[in-house]
């Protein structure tokens, strides 16, 4: 299988990073303990050269900055939507597939910093919109923010398999979405529409009357259908399996974007692979993250060959991670 | 049967052409928008022992590319320090000429297609992946990706990317296909025990030279002028790939050859110093663009092979050109590439692969280079018909001759005349 490895930060102003400094660069062999070139993915710049010309140092790490919350809105008692006024540079950067930030209440310790996907970023008003579900201690702390909040970013690895979304032009894409995981798919849908793709969304409304992202999808011109994917055993219901199969026949989707838990990704990918093994997948990144810089290791998952993947930075082919029994 | 050739330099063109002549289906994959690779900035043929080698190949039936180079010649029978009877082809005409020739022969060529990985089935390659994930299957593969660059190597072992014809920043890095197939590369060394070597010539824009120099160059093919005493730099010679040009004369003199551009026989030359010389006041570099600072780094990626050019450790991978050893030169690339293409087809048909006899220079260099690579001293040398130790050996073994009749007889007596012309399927 084609080994798809990428570092989302490679070639960006944040590259070379601390990993390069410590000889752990994801892409560059010369910055990974080797003495000769054997880079795993070429994005138009030589990371080793950037490192040498930067004085054998890594670039500066992203830092928290304080911004104003301009609107707080409860979509449900446990789902909060925040509009935050950031600066031009950040709003511009965050208007991209897979964009996310770390949020934190100023009074809390560093360990509270929480990765949150961008639902939309308005590059005229510089207002970013995020949706947070109250789950554990970190998200609870964000709910306590009233007027101001600390934001660290931009980060871009909120969606895996981005290559398969970015290469779609005049094509069609199916989005299968559940719960708050649908937030990053709205921004993805926006970019897909700009590239003249048809976007078909099966949107699980969960416990709410309607998924909060539905109006966003509609205003982008996506076709949206409300569904309730899972039966009591947590399996995709027969009726939706049938429907997905029919949609694939009719639309010939090249890429399916799965937005739910990892368990959901696994079910979706294994099911669709059996219908058409050439369909590519993109998945919302659900890893637990702490630093976002590839350092702390809390986001590490295992790839198909048991290799460690720092999923806050590294892009992988979702098939390689979620397909079972095929290699 | 499908032969896939990776890398469209002189070696790759030769391999593709030969495999096609044998009757195979051939796909040639090149990462840039041009064939010939370093051949776009070279031009010297038939100097010293290369004359013998070219004639041997013609007698063997593998002379097409030499004849094309003769046709594109700007000058024949040129002499310059240490070198006799050179032909200088026009680098501007050469690439389109070869390109048309290969296309006329119905060889499929993919441009701007960088190969990044292989799919293995035990010890044999099932197919290769392009940078965008496209999978291409084949029966036999020939790797002729050269040994130059990419950027990290040109930086670590040289003085950074000098923006040469390979244009790595634009087209992405060369990678070692054999290594992706699980075979460790062999590395060339320098006199000082470090790795790689720097390319030994660069090109000046001819229009930027004075009328007088340009006219003389275009008339004689060569122009020689003394380097100001304070600027003579003998040390640069040690870094150089082309040991056949690592002579004191090339440090003490500026030697220009007319290959379409003005070929300057030194690795790099600070522009400021160059412009001090009479007639060079407006001079600028044509290749590498930053030839005032550095040049490309080579010989960091050779695959272990046998004398039929098959890679040791992979069933269906053959190599030619710089990928196959410490060979310097177009002639050397064409010779090794042709044999690789020929044996790739034989292997694909289940026939025994062949070697070239050591009584011909083209056979001897292949086996001699292979045996020399076994020790460190041998890894510090380069092998070319054109000079340095191998040309000495050619003379000692009586292989060197410029008498076409003798060469014809030698090949005929071995009963292998025309073998590279025969269809195998
Ligand atoms: C400045 C200079 C001047 C020279 N002058 C002369 C001269 O006058 N006479 C002479 O005989 N020799 C000369 N040489 C040496 C000679 O050019 C080389 O030894 C010879 O051409 C090497 O041929 P090759 O096919 O092995 O490699 P290359 O010419 O390096 O060709 C390799 C090709 O493979 C392609 N490639 C690499 N990786 C990939 C990939 N992953 N996927 C697809 N394609 C890939 C490259 O783009 C390139 O086109 C000169 C060399 C230099 C640098
Ligand atoms: S000098 Fe040539 S080979 Fe070296 S990095 Fe630059 S373009 Fe590539
Ligand atoms: S979140 Fe810290 S290494 Fe990925």
């Amino acid at each position: 299988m084609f080994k798809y490895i990428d570092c989302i930060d490679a070639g960006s102003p944040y590259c070379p990073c601390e990993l390069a400094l410590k000889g752990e660069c994801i892409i560059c062999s010369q910055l990974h303990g080797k003495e000769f070139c054997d880079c795993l993915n070429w994005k138009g710049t030589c990371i080793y050269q950037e490192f040498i010309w930067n004085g054998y140092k890594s670039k500066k790490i992203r830092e928290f900055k304080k911004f104003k919350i301009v609107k707080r809105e409860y979509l449900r008692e446990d789902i909060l939507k925040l509009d935050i006024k950031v600066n031009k540079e950040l709003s511009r950067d965050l208007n991209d597939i897979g964009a996310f930030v770390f949020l934190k209440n100023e009074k809390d310790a560093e360990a509270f910093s929480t990765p949150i996907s961008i639902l939309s970023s308005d590059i005229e008003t510089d207002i970013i919109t995020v949706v947070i579900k109250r789950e554990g201690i970190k998200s609870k702390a964000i709910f306590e923010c009233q007027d101001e909040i600390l934001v660290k970013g931009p980060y871009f690895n909120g969606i895996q398999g981005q290559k398969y979304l970015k290469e779609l032009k005049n094509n069609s894409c199916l989005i299968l979405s559940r719960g708050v995981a649908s937030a990053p798919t709205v921004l993805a849908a926006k970019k897909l529409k700009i590239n003249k793709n048809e976007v078909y969304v099966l949107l699980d409304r969960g416990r709410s009357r309607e998924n909060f992202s539905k109006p966003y999808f509609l205003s982008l011109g996506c076709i949206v259908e409300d569904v309730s994917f899972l039966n009591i055993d947590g399996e995709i219901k027969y009726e939706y399996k049938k429907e997905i199969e029919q949609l694939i026949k009719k639309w010939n989707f090249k890429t399916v974007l799965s937005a739910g838990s990892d368990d959901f990704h696994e079910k979706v990918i294994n099911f669709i692979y059996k219908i058409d093994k050439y369909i590519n997948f993109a998945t919302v990144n659900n890893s637990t993250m702490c630093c976002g810089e590839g350092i702390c290791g809390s986001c590490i998952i295992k790839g198909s060959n048991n290799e460690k993947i720092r999923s806050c930075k590294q892009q992988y082919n979702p098939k390689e991670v979620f397909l079972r029994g095929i290699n | 049967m499908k032969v896939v050739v990776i890398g469209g330099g002189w070696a790759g063109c030769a391999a593709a052409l030969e495999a096609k002549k044998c009757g195979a289906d051939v796909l040639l994959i090149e990462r840039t928008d041009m064939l010939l690779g370093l051949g776009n900035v070279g031009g010297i043929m038939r100097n010293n022992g290369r004359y013998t080698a070219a004639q041997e190949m013609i007698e063997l039936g593998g002379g097409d590319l030499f004849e094309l180079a003769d046709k594109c010649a700007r000058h024949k029978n040129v002499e310059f320090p240490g070198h006799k009877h050179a032909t200088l082809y026009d680098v501007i005409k050469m690439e389109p000429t070869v390109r048309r020739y290969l296309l006329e022969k119905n060889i499929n060529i993919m441009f701007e297609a960088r190969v990044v990985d292989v799919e293995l089935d035990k010890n044999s390659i099932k197919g290769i992946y392009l940078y965008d994930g496209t999978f291409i299957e084949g029966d036999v593969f020939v790797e002729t990706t050269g040994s130059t660059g990419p950027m990290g190597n040109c930086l670590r072992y040289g003085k950074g990317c000098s923006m040469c014809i390979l244009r790595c920043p634009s087209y992405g890095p060369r990678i070692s296909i054999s290594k992706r197939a699980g075979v460790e590369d062999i590395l060339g060394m320098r006199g000082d025990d470090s790795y790689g070597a720097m390319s030994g010539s660069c090109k000046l824009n001819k229009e930027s030279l004075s009328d007088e120099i340009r006219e003389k160059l275009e008339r004689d093919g060569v122009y020689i002028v003394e380097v100001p005493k304070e600027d003579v730099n003998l040390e640069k010679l040690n870094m150089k790939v082309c040991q056949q040009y690592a002579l004191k004369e090339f440090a003490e003199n500026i030697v220009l050859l007319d290959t379409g551009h003005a070929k300057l026989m030194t690795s790099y030359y600070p522009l400021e110093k160059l412009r001090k010389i009479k007639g060079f006041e407006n001079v600028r570099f044509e290749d590498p663009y930053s030839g005032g600072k550095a040049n490309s780094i080579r010989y960091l990626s050779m695959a272990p092979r046998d004398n039929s050019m098959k890679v040791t450790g992979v069933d269906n991978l053959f190599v030619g050109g710089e990928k196959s050893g410490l060979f310097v030169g177009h002639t050397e690339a064409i010779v090794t590439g042709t044999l690789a293409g020929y044996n790739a087809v034989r292997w694909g048909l289940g026939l025994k692969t062949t070697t070239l006899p050591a009584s011909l220079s083209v056979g001897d260099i292949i086996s001699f280079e292979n045996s020399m690579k076994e020790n460190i001293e041998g890894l510090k040398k380069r092998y070319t018909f054109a000079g340095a130790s191998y040309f000495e050996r050619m003379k000692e073994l009586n292989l060197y001759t410029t008498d076409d009749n003798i060469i014809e007889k030698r090949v005929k007596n071995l009963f292998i005349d025309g073998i590279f012309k025969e269809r195998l399927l």
Side-chain angles (χ1 to χ4, degrees), chain A residues 190-288:
Chain A
K190 181 176 163 194
K191 297 290 169 183
L192 286 166
K193 287 307 271 184
I194 289 173
N195 281 329
K196 303 204 166 46
N197 296 293
E198 288 297 341
V199 180
Y200 202 106
V201 190
L202 292 185
L203 193 56
D204 198 316
R205 57 191 156 75
R207 282 193 288 113
S208 314
R209 215 162 12 91
E210 185 178 274
N211 190 301
F212 63 89
S213 57
K214 187 174 177 188
Y216 290 93
F217 284 122
L218 288 175
S219 72
L220 290 168
C222 308
I223 305 169
V224 186
E225 196 184 315
D226 293 307
V227 300
S228 175
F229 281 121
L230 305 182
N231 63 22
I232 318 173
D233 305 325
E235 294 299 326
I236 302 176
K237 288 177 190 158
Y238 178 74
E239 55 182 299
Y240 295 118
K241 283 190 172 172
K242 267 258 126 359
E243 174 163 10
I244 290 170
E245 196 167 347
Q246 277 160 5
L247 285 173
I248 288 173
K249 281 218 182 80
K250 179 164 171 222
W251 288 83
N252 242 321
F253 300 114
K254 264 194 85 182
T255 301
V256 173
L257 169 56
S258 168
S261 62
D262 282 356
D263 199 38
F264 183 70
H265 295 333
E266 193 177 321
K267 292 200 167 96
V268 164
I269 291 176
N270 284 281
F271 167 64
I272 293 179
Y273 186 82
K274 281 195 209 105
I275 301 172
D276 180 350
K277 66 179 181 161
Y278 294 106
I279 291 180
N280 292 317
F281 295 94
T283 48
V284 165
N285 190 349
N286 293 312
S287 299
T288 308

Side-chain angles (χ1 to χ4, degrees), chain A residues 1-3 29-31 34-42 44-46 48-50 52-53 163 167, chain B residues 114 116 119 129-133 150-153 155-157 168-169 172-173 179-180 187 195 293 300:
Chain A
M1 196 187 284
F2 180 53
K3 196 110 198 94
S29 58
Q30 303 247 21
L31 294 170
K34 303 268 162 50
E35 286 180 14
F36 301 98
C37 283
D38 188 17
C39 67
L40 295 177
N41 192 345
W42 175 253
T45 54
C46 172
Y48 182 61
Q49 157 139 324
E50 289 292 325
I52 305 293
W53 283 80
K163 164 183 160 55
E167 71 190 14
Chain B
R114 194 168 66 95
V116 297
E119 182 81 48
Y129 290 102
L130 299 184
Y131 68 104
D132 62 353
M151 290 177 81
N153 287 343
L155 182 57
R156 187 185 282 257
Y157 303 99
C168 300
K179 187 162 179 209
R180 292 285 153 96
L187 307 166
Y195 296 101
K293 180 187 168 188
L300 288 174

Side-chain angles (χ1 to χ4, degrees), chain B residues 189-216:
Chain B
M189 297 178 78
R190 295 181 202 166
D192 61 0
D193 271 7
S194 66
Y195 296 101
M198 191 178 273
S199 293
S201 74
C202 42
K203 303 254 166 175
L204 302 176
N205 180 301
K206 217 159 54 176
E207 276 62 50
S208 69
L209 295 164
S210 71
D211 292 348
E212 193 197 333
I213 296 180
R214 194 173 55 246
E215 275 156 26
K216 198 162 175 339

Side-chain angles (χ1 to χ4, degrees), chain A residues 160-178:
Chain A
Q160 289 291 354
Q162 291 186 20
K163 164 183 160 55
Y164 302 119
L165 295 173
K166 289 180 173 164
E167 71 190 14
L168 283 189
K169 300 219 162 75
N170 298 313
N171 227 305
S172 58
C173 178
L174 174 65
I175 299 180
L176 304 175
S177 191
R178 291 193 80 219

Side-chain angles (χ1 to χ4, degrees), chain B residues 55-61 404 407-408 411-412 416-418:
Chain B
Q55 284 308 120
E56 286 174 355
M57 287 302 281
I58 290 171
E59 293 305 326
L60 288 165
D404 294 357
I407 298 170
E408 188 187 336
V411 175
K412 286 224 164 94
I416 52 174
D417 47 311

Side-chain angles (χ1 to χ4, degrees), chain B residues 242-262:
Chain B
C242 315
Q243 292 174 348
Q244 75 274 29
Y245 306 125
L247 308 169
K248 228 168 91 230
E249 286 89 327
F250 290 93
E252 290 169 352
N253 295 297
I254 285 194
V255 181
L256 295 183
L257 299 176
D258 177 23
T259 58
H261 304 305

